[in-house]
């Protein structure tokens, strides 16, 4: 049986407090909604009332960024409590509700070694937030907002003592805007979400085969010809960078090369390894065009390009990609082959290493450190290059053993449509690692990756959020914070908080459904879409090939990667099978759910028939109706303990196997729970005549060995 004991215990982290005194025993054991979980968290008796007298004072350093960092949460607090909040910051710390003590501004340009720690003490009289830097204040204010609670008498923040700092200094999100352009307002709301969960690096993937998205004034045709006119001006880039800095977030640009370079070659075909002309790639996948690393004019252009980009992007790092270059153009180019022979370059991997060495010198000349994916790692690579691993923790660990800093992205590919639980249990520094302390220090953290093949400004929020909040916790919190049930409980709360920031991961689902159904009453369709998830991995493109010009406004674009309804159903089924005293309560809730599926078909059918955009969803509606019947039948057999009709179990399992196959590029997320009920009904029939308590005991014993990412909201 799955257990939720951790939900009752909360988080107990007893460490030496900032004062240097002995550890103080926790006075109150309390369930909380914080995400990420702070390093040291102690709940104390009492709470601090939040009412219209709320005010903030600053005691110590202050500047415009700090003032802005205080004003934003005050606005959000007012929206949450529903009454006016005094946003004027005073210096009277004696009477203030919240006192902020900041020691200094921190680094003028956000950096990987920025101090982000803070101390938050809340008593029944006052809250005091101490931080060495403005970024620490920003992090602490997000925690303060998450602590807000309410009861019948009003709003309050529980009395608490928090000492917090991140486990890893590099906690990022990659957003690919090359395959589908995301306007500046999308990037800004993404940054708001990142700040709310304490992510600190926006990895901006700006060039690829499908688009060149940044203005270069020295070589203006790069963007003009390589972007369909969809690119960021330098003023827009600066605006986004400033917006990120105000939230304590670094912006690391990526310009992918020598492969993934088609958009460069549209305007500069002379730099390619094969004759042009070239056009922007409209498809998805890995393509052949690559730079010709033997051409000196290539390095001249790159020198001029990076000179300009180094002034535009203030961060210390620049990412050069370096991945998935198959080198087929190199193999077929006689000039390149002769160059390799003359230089003693044995293979394409060595030729790319030659290119990387040249590029490293250009970046260093302009004051930048080079980053790249696993493929750039060679014995000759300078040690101050940072490796980003998509191949896995073992590849990252090998780089660390060789003395390279690195970050992990394998396991955090959110574009693969896996649930939060799968990403949550991946750790940049896995338990049992054989890295010594010095080697482990090279693991800087990780990045979630939002590759852009199937996202646009309307659905990107539902692909990033709220799952990325769970990944953010993995990067910030201690490795021991790994209870999946509790993560999902808190993630539901955080999801609503992200909505308050303007993110559309929930509301845009209904926008898409209204559009494709051509009606405002989307309730039947919403029921269906809540029970399915997009197909995993890269199967969407295989099932329904599309170009980058195709609109992303189909049923699959409304479906979310982590079905809350499926987790809830799983929790109900587990309760039914393992909690004998409350069997009838779980049974009645499940009957209601299955009856709603069974009775949904006529209304859903009418919607599908009236909308050409929904025609491929017809089989899904029919299968959902049948699954409702199967669930009701299974409940009936489990309740009565009567024998099953001959062949019933196998026929239902066969149907569920068929219904589990993808249609309309989605798949039912609820099938495992329905299958579990069918098997349980068979088990109950096999024990016909046995007391229900004995059957529950056997089911409970079988269930105790299961491993599953269940939903904490299983209790009816």
């Amino acid at each position: 049986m799955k257990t939720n004991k951790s939900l009752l215990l909360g988080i107990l982290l007893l460490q030496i407090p900032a004062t240097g005194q002995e550890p103080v025993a926790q006075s109150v054991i309390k369930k909380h909604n914080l995400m990420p979980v702070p390093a040291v968290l102690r709940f104390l008796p009492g709470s601090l009332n939040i009412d219209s007298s709320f005010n903030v004072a600053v005691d110590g350093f202050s500047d415009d960024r700090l003032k802005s960092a205080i004003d934003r949460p005050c606005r959000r607090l007012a929206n949450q409590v529903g009454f006016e909040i005094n946003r004027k910051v005073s210096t009277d710390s004696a009477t203030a509700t919240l006192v902020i003590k900041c020691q200094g501004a921190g680094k003028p340009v956000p950096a990987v070694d920025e101090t982000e720690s803070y101390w938050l003490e809340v008593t029944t009289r006052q809250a005091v937030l101490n931080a060495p830097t403005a970024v620490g204040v920003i992090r602490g204010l997000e925690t303060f907002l998450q602590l807000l609670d309410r009861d019948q008498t009003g709003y309050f923040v529980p009395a608490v003592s928090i000492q917090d700092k991140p486990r890893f200094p590099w906690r990022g999100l990659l957003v690919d805007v090359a395959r589908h352009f995301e306007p500046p307002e999308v990037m800004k709301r993404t940054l708001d979400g990142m700040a709310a969960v304490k992510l600190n690096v926006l990895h901006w993937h700006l060039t690829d085969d499908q688009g060149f998205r940044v203005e270069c004034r020295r070589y203006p045709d790069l963007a003009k010809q390589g972007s369909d006119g969809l690119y960021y001006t330098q003023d827009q880039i600066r605006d986004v960078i400033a917006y990120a800095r105000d939230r304590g977030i670094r912006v690391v640009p990526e310009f992918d090369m020598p492969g993934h370079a088609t958009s460069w070659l549209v305007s500069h075909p002379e730099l390619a390894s094969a004759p042009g002309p070239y056009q922007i790639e409209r498809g998805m996948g890995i393509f052949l065009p690559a730079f010709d690393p033997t051409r000196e004019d290539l390095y001249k252009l790159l020198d001029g390009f990076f000179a300009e980009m180094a002034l535009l992007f203030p961060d210390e790092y620049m990412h050069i990609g370096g991945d998935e270059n198959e080198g087929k153009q190199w193999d077929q180019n006689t000039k390149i082959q002769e160059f390799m022979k003359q230089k003693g370059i044995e293979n394409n991997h060595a030729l790319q290493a030659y290119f990387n060495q040249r590029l490293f010198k250009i970046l260093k000349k302009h004051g930048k450190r080079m980053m790249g994916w696993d493929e750039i790692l060679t014995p000759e690579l300078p040690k101050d290059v940072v490796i980003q691993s998509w191949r896995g923790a073992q590849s990252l660990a090998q780089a660390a053993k060789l003395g390279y800093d690195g970050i992990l992205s394998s396991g955090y590919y959110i574009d693969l449509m896996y649930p939060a639980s799968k990403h949550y249990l991946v750790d940049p520094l896995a338990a049992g690692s054989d890295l010594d302390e010095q080697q482990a220090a090279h693991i800087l953290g990780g990045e979630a990756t939002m590759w852009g093949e199937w996202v646009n400004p309307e659905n990107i929020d539902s692909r990033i959020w709220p799952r990325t909040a769970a990944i953010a916790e993995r990067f910030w919190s201690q490795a021991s914070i790994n209870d999946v049930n509790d993560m999902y409980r808190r993630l539901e709360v955080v999801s609503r908080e992200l909505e308050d920031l303007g993110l559309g991961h929930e509301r845009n689902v209904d926008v898409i459904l209204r559009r494709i159904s051509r009606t405002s009453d989307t309730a039947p369709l919403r029921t269906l879409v809540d029970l399915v998830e997009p197909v995993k991995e890269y199967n969407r493109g295989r099932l329904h090939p599309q170009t980058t010009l195709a609109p992303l406004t189909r049923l699959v674009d409304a479906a979310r990667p982590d079905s809350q309804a499926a987790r809830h159903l799983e929790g109900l089924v587990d309760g039914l099978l393992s909690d004998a005293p409350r069997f009838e309560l779980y049974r009645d809730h499940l009957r209601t759910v299955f009856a709603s599926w069974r009775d949904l078909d006529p209304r859903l059918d009418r919607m599908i028939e009236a909308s050409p955009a929904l025609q491929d969803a017809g089989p899904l509606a029919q299968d959902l109706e049948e699954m409702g019947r199967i669930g009701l039948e299974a409940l009936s057999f489990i309740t009565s303990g009567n024998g099953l009709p001959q062949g019933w179990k196998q026929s239902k399992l066969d149907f569920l196997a068929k219904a589990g196959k993808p249609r309309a590029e989605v798949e039912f997320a609820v099938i495992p729970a329905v299958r579990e009920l069918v098997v349980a009904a068979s088990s109950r029939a096999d024990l016909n005549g046995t007391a229900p308590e004995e059957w529950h005991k056997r089911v409970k014993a079988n269930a105790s060995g299961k491993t599953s990412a269940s939903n904490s909201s299983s209790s009816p």
Side-chain angles (χ1 to χ4, degrees), residues 630-679:
I630 291 172
L632 291 170
E633 290 175 13
L635 287 175
S636 177
F637 292 132
I638 290 172
T639 301
S640 67
N642 294 333
L644 299 177
Q646 185 174 4
W648 182 88
K649 174 186 175 183
Q650 192 57 51
S651 68
K652 303 311 176 188
L653 291 178
D654 289 345
F655 171 82
L656 293 174
K658 178 175 175 291
K661 295 179 179 179
R663 267 83 50 84
E665 294 87 68
V666 299
E667 53 194 21
F668 277 110
V670 293
I671 285 181
V674 180
R675 184 186 296 117
E676 188 173 6
L677 269 186
V678 170
V679 174

Coordinates of all heavy atoms in Angstrom, one line a residue, residues 630-679:
I630 N -16.5 -0.8 -17.9 CA -15.6 -1.8 -17.3 C -15.3 -1.4 -15.9 O -15.4 -2.3 -15.0 CB -14.2 -1.8 -18.1 CG1 -14.5 -2.4 -19.5 CG2 -13.2 -2.6 -17.4 CD1 -13.2 -2.3 -20.4
G631 N -15.1 -0.2 -15.6 CA -14.9 0.2 -14.2 C -16.1 -0.1 -13.3 O -15.9 -0.6 -12.2
L632 N -17.3 0.2 -13.8 CA -18.5 -0.1 -13.0 C -18.7 -1.6 -12.8 O -19.1 -2.0 -11.7 CB -19.7 0.5 -13.7 CG -19.7 2.1 -13.7 CD1 -20.9 2.6 -14.6 CD2 -19.9 2.6 -12.3
E633 N -18.4 -2.4 -13.8 CA -18.5 -3.8 -13.7 C -17.5 -4.3 -12.7 O -17.9 -5.2 -11.9 CB -18.3 -4.5 -15.1 CG -19.5 -4.2 -16.1 CD -19.1 -4.8 -17.4 OE1 -18.2 -5.6 -17.5 OE2 -19.9 -4.5 -18.4
A634 N -16.3 -3.9 -12.8 CA -15.3 -4.3 -11.9 C -15.7 -4.0 -10.4 O -15.5 -4.8 -9.5 CB -13.9 -3.7 -12.2
L635 N -16.2 -2.8 -10.2 CA -16.6 -2.4 -8.8 C -17.7 -3.3 -8.4 O -17.8 -3.7 -7.2 CB -17.1 -1.0 -8.8 CG -16.0 0.1 -8.9 CD1 -16.7 1.5 -9.0 CD2 -15.1 0.0 -7.7
S636 N -18.7 -3.7 -9.3 CA -19.8 -4.6 -8.9 C -19.3 -5.9 -8.5 O -19.7 -6.5 -7.4 CB -20.7 -4.7 -10.1 OG -21.8 -5.6 -9.8
F637 N -18.3 -6.5 -9.2 CA -17.8 -7.8 -8.9 C -17.0 -7.8 -7.6 O -17.1 -8.7 -6.8 CB -16.9 -8.3 -10.0 CG -17.7 -8.7 -11.3 CD1 -17.2 -8.2 -12.5 CD2 -18.8 -9.5 -11.2 CE1 -17.9 -8.5 -13.7 CE2 -19.5 -9.8 -12.4 CZ -19.1 -9.3 -13.6
I638 N -16.2 -6.7 -7.4 CA -15.4 -6.6 -6.2 C -16.4 -6.5 -5.0 O -16.1 -7.0 -3.9 CB -14.5 -5.4 -6.3 CG1 -13.4 -5.6 -7.3 CG2 -13.9 -5.0 -4.9 CD1 -12.5 -4.4 -7.6
T639 N -17.4 -5.7 -5.1 CA -18.4 -5.5 -4.0 C -19.1 -6.8 -3.6 O -19.2 -7.2 -2.5 CB -19.4 -4.4 -4.3 OG1 -18.7 -3.2 -4.6 CG2 -20.4 -4.2 -3.2
S640 N -19.6 -7.5 -4.7 CA -20.4 -8.7 -4.4 C -19.5 -10.0 -4.1 O -20.0 -10.8 -3.4 CB -21.3 -9.0 -5.6 OG -20.4 -9.4 -6.7
G641 N -18.3 -10.0 -4.7 CA -17.5 -11.2 -4.5 C -18.0 -12.4 -5.4 O -17.5 -13.5 -5.2
N642 N -19.0 -12.1 -6.3 CA -19.5 -13.2 -7.1 C -18.4 -13.6 -8.2 O -17.5 -12.8 -8.5 CB -20.8 -12.7 -7.8 CG -21.9 -12.5 -6.8 OD1 -21.9 -13.2 -5.8 ND2 -22.8 -11.7 -7.2
G643 N -18.6 -14.7 -8.8 CA -17.7 -15.2 -9.8 C -17.9 -14.4 -11.1 O -19.0 -13.8 -11.3
L644 N -16.8 -14.3 -11.9 CA -16.9 -13.5 -13.1 C -17.4 -14.4 -14.3 O -17.2 -15.6 -14.3 CB -15.4 -13.1 -13.5 CG -14.7 -12.2 -12.5 CD1 -13.3 -11.9 -13.0 CD2 -15.5 -10.9 -12.3
P645 N -18.0 -13.8 -15.3 CA -18.4 -14.5 -16.5 C -17.1 -15.0 -17.1 O -16.1 -14.4 -17.1 CB -19.1 -13.4 -17.3 CG -19.5 -12.4 -16.4 CD -18.5 -12.4 -15.3
Q646 N -17.3 -16.1 -17.8 CA -16.1 -16.8 -18.4 C -15.5 -15.8 -19.5 O -16.2 -15.3 -20.3 CB -16.5 -18.1 -19.1 CG -15.3 -18.8 -19.7 CD -15.7 -20.2 -20.2 OE1 -16.9 -20.5 -20.2 NE2 -14.8 -21.0 -20.7
G647 N -14.2 -15.6 -19.4 CA -13.5 -14.8 -20.4 C -13.6 -13.3 -20.1 O -13.0 -12.5 -20.8
W648 N -14.3 -12.9 -19.0 CA -14.5 -11.5 -18.8 C -13.2 -10.8 -18.6 O -12.9 -9.7 -19.2 CB -15.4 -11.3 -17.5 CG -15.7 -9.8 -17.2 CD1 -16.7 -9.0 -17.7 CD2 -14.9 -9.0 -16.3 NE1 -16.6 -7.8 -17.2 CE2 -15.5 -7.7 -16.3 CE3 -13.8 -9.2 -15.5 CZ2 -15.0 -6.6 -15.6 CZ3 -13.3 -8.1 -14.8 CH2 -13.9 -6.8 -14.8
K649 N -12.3 -11.3 -17.7 CA -11.1 -10.6 -17.4 C -10.2 -10.4 -18.6 O -9.7 -9.3 -18.9 CB -10.3 -11.4 -16.3 CG -8.9 -10.9 -16.0 CD -8.1 -11.8 -15.1 CE -6.7 -11.3 -14.9 NZ -5.9 -12.2 -14.1
Q650 N -10.0 -11.5 -19.4 CA -9.2 -11.4 -20.5 C -9.7 -10.4 -21.6 O -9.0 -9.7 -22.2 CB -8.9 -12.8 -21.2 CG -7.8 -12.8 -22.2 CD -6.5 -12.3 -21.6 OE1 -6.0 -12.8 -20.6 NE2 -5.8 -11.3 -22.3
S651 N -11.0 -10.5 -21.8 CA -11.6 -9.6 -22.8 C -11.4 -8.1 -22.4 O -11.1 -7.3 -23.3 CB -13.1 -9.9 -23.0 OG -13.8 -9.6 -21.9
K652 N -11.5 -7.8 -21.1 CA -11.4 -6.5 -20.7 C -9.9 -6.0 -20.7 O -9.6 -4.9 -21.1 CB -11.9 -6.3 -19.2 CG -13.4 -6.7 -19.1 CD -14.3 -6.1 -20.1 CE -15.7 -6.5 -20.0 NZ -16.6 -6.1 -21.2
L653 N -9.0 -6.9 -20.4 CA -7.6 -6.6 -20.5 C -7.2 -6.4 -21.9 O -6.4 -5.5 -22.3 CB -6.7 -7.7 -19.8 CG -6.8 -7.8 -18.3 CD1 -6.0 -8.9 -17.8 CD2 -6.4 -6.5 -17.6
D654 N -7.7 -7.2 -22.8 CA -7.5 -7.0 -24.3 C -8.0 -5.6 -24.8 O -7.3 -5.0 -25.5 CB -8.1 -8.1 -25.1 CG -7.4 -9.5 -24.9 OD1 -6.3 -9.5 -24.3 OD2 -8.0 -10.5 -25.2
F655 N -9.2 -5.3 -24.3 CA -9.7 -4.0 -24.7 C -8.8 -2.8 -24.2 O -8.5 -1.9 -24.9 CB -11.1 -3.8 -24.2 CG -11.6 -2.4 -24.4 CD1 -12.1 -2.0 -25.6 CD2 -11.5 -1.4 -23.4 CE1 -12.6 -0.7 -25.8 CE2 -12.0 -0.2 -23.6 CZ -12.5 0.2 -24.8
L656 N -8.4 -2.9 -22.9 CA -7.6 -1.9 -22.4 C -6.2 -1.8 -23.1 O -5.7 -0.7 -23.2 CB -7.4 -2.1 -20.9 CG -8.6 -2.0 -20.0 CD1 -8.3 -2.4 -18.6 CD2 -9.2 -0.5 -20.0
A657 N -5.7 -2.9 -23.5 CA -4.4 -2.9 -24.2 C -4.6 -2.1 -25.6 O -3.7 -1.3 -26.0 CB -3.9 -4.3 -24.5
K658 N -5.7 -2.4 -26.2 CA -6.0 -1.7 -27.5 C -6.3 -0.2 -27.2 O -5.8 0.6 -28.0 CB -7.2 -2.4 -28.1 CG -7.7 -1.7 -29.4 CD -8.8 -2.5 -30.0 CE -9.4 -1.8 -31.3 NZ -10.1 -0.6 -31.0
A659 N -7.0 0.1 -26.2 CA -7.3 1.5 -25.9 C -6.1 2.3 -25.5 O -6.1 3.5 -25.5 CB -8.4 1.6 -24.8
G660 N -5.1 1.5 -25.0 CA -3.9 2.2 -24.5 C -3.0 2.7 -25.7 O -2.0 3.4 -25.4
K661 N -3.3 2.3 -26.9 CA -2.5 2.7 -28.0 C -2.8 4.2 -28.4 O -3.9 4.6 -28.3 CB -2.7 1.8 -29.2 CG -2.2 0.4 -29.0 CD -2.5 -0.5 -30.2 CE -2.0 -1.9 -29.9 NZ -2.3 -2.8 -31.1
P662 N -1.8 4.9 -28.8 CA -2.0 6.4 -29.1 C -3.0 6.6 -30.2 O -3.0 5.9 -31.2 CB -0.6 6.9 -29.5 CG 0.4 5.9 -28.9 CD -0.4 4.6 -28.9
R663 N -3.9 7.5 -30.0 CA -4.7 8.1 -31.1 C -4.7 9.6 -31.0 O -4.7 10.1 -29.9 CB -6.2 7.6 -30.9 CG -6.5 6.3 -31.7 CD -6.1 5.0 -31.0 NE -6.5 5.0 -29.6 CZ -7.7 4.6 -29.2 NH1 -8.6 4.2 -30.1 NH2 -8.1 4.5 -28.0
A664 N -4.8 10.2 -32.1 CA -4.8 11.7 -32.1 C -3.6 12.3 -31.4 O -3.6 13.3 -30.8 CB -6.1 12.3 -31.5
E665 N -2.5 11.5 -31.4 CA -1.2 11.8 -30.7 C -1.3 12.0 -29.2 O -0.5 12.7 -28.6 CB -0.6 13.1 -31.3 CG -0.1 13.0 -32.7 CD -1.3 13.3 -33.7 OE1 -1.7 14.5 -33.8 OE2 -1.8 12.4 -34.4
V666 N -2.4 11.4 -28.6 CA -2.5 11.3 -27.2 C -2.7 9.9 -26.7 O -3.0 9.0 -27.5 CB -3.7 12.2 -26.7 CG1 -3.4 13.7 -27.0 CG2 -5.0 11.7 -27.2
E667 N -2.6 9.7 -25.4 CA -2.8 8.3 -24.9 C -3.5 8.5 -23.5 O -3.2 9.4 -22.8 CB -1.5 7.6 -24.8 CG -0.4 8.3 -24.0 CD 1.0 7.7 -24.2 OE1 1.1 6.9 -25.2 OE2 1.8 7.9 -23.4
F668 N -4.4 7.5 -23.2 CA -5.1 7.6 -22.0 C -4.1 7.3 -20.8 O -3.4 6.3 -20.8 CB -6.2 6.5 -21.9 CG -7.5 6.9 -22.6 CD1 -7.9 6.4 -23.8 CD2 -8.2 7.9 -22.0 CE1 -9.0 6.7 -24.4 CE2 -9.4 8.3 -22.6 CZ -9.8 7.7 -23.8
A669 N -4.1 8.2 -19.8 CA -3.3 8.1 -18.7 C -4.0 7.3 -17.6 O -3.3 6.9 -16.6 CB -2.9 9.5 -18.1
V670 N -5.3 7.0 -17.7 CA -6.0 6.3 -16.7 C -6.1 4.8 -16.8 O -6.6 4.1 -15.9 CB -7.5 6.9 -16.6 CG1 -7.5 8.3 -16.2 CG2 -8.1 6.7 -18.0
I671 N -5.5 4.3 -17.9 CA -5.6 2.8 -18.1 C -5.0 2.0 -17.1 O -5.6 1.0 -16.7 CB -5.1 2.5 -19.6 CG1 -6.2 3.0 -20.6 CG2 -4.8 1.0 -19.7 CD1 -5.8 2.7 -22.0
P672 N -3.8 2.3 -16.6 CA -3.2 1.5 -15.5 C -4.1 1.3 -14.3 O -4.2 0.2 -13.7 CB -1.9 2.2 -15.1 CG -1.6 2.9 -16.4 CD -2.9 3.4 -17.0
A673 N -4.8 2.3 -13.9 CA -5.7 2.2 -12.7 C -6.9 1.4 -13.0 O -7.4 0.6 -12.2 CB -6.2 3.6 -12.3
V674 N -7.5 1.5 -14.2 CA -8.7 0.7 -14.6 C -8.2 -0.8 -14.7 O -8.9 -1.7 -14.3 CB -9.3 1.2 -16.0 CG1 -10.4 0.3 -16.4 CG2 -9.7 2.6 -15.9
R675 N -7.0 -1.0 -15.3 CA -6.5 -2.4 -15.4 C -6.3 -3.0 -14.0 O -6.6 -4.2 -13.8 CB -5.2 -2.4 -16.1 CG -4.6 -3.8 -16.4 CD -3.2 -3.7 -17.0 NE -3.2 -3.1 -18.3 CZ -2.6 -2.0 -18.6 NH1 -1.9 -1.3 -17.6 NH2 -2.6 -1.5 -19.8
E676 N -5.9 -2.2 -13.1 CA -5.7 -2.7 -11.7 C -7.0 -3.1 -11.1 O -7.1 -4.1 -10.4 CB -5.0 -1.6 -10.8 CG -4.6 -2.1 -9.4 CD -3.8 -1.1 -8.7 OE1 -3.7 0.1 -9.2 OE2 -3.4 -1.4 -7.6
L677 N -8.1 -2.4 -11.4 CA -9.4 -2.8 -10.9 C -9.9 -4.1 -11.5 O -10.5 -4.9 -10.9 CB -10.4 -1.7 -11.2 CG -10.7 -0.6 -10.2 CD1 -11.8 0.3 -10.6 CD2 -11.0 -1.2 -8.8
V678 N -9.6 -4.3 -12.8 CA -10.0 -5.5 -13.5 C -9.3 -6.7 -12.9 O -9.9 -7.8 -12.6 CB -9.7 -5.4 -15.0 CG1 -9.9 -6.8 -15.7 CG2 -10.6 -4.4 -15.7
V679 N -8.0 -6.6 -12.6 CA -7.3 -7.7 -12.0 C -7.8 -7.9 -10.6 O -7.9 -9.0 -10.1 CB -5.8 -7.3 -12.0 CG1 -5.0 -8.3 -11.2 CG2 -5.2 -7.2 -13.4

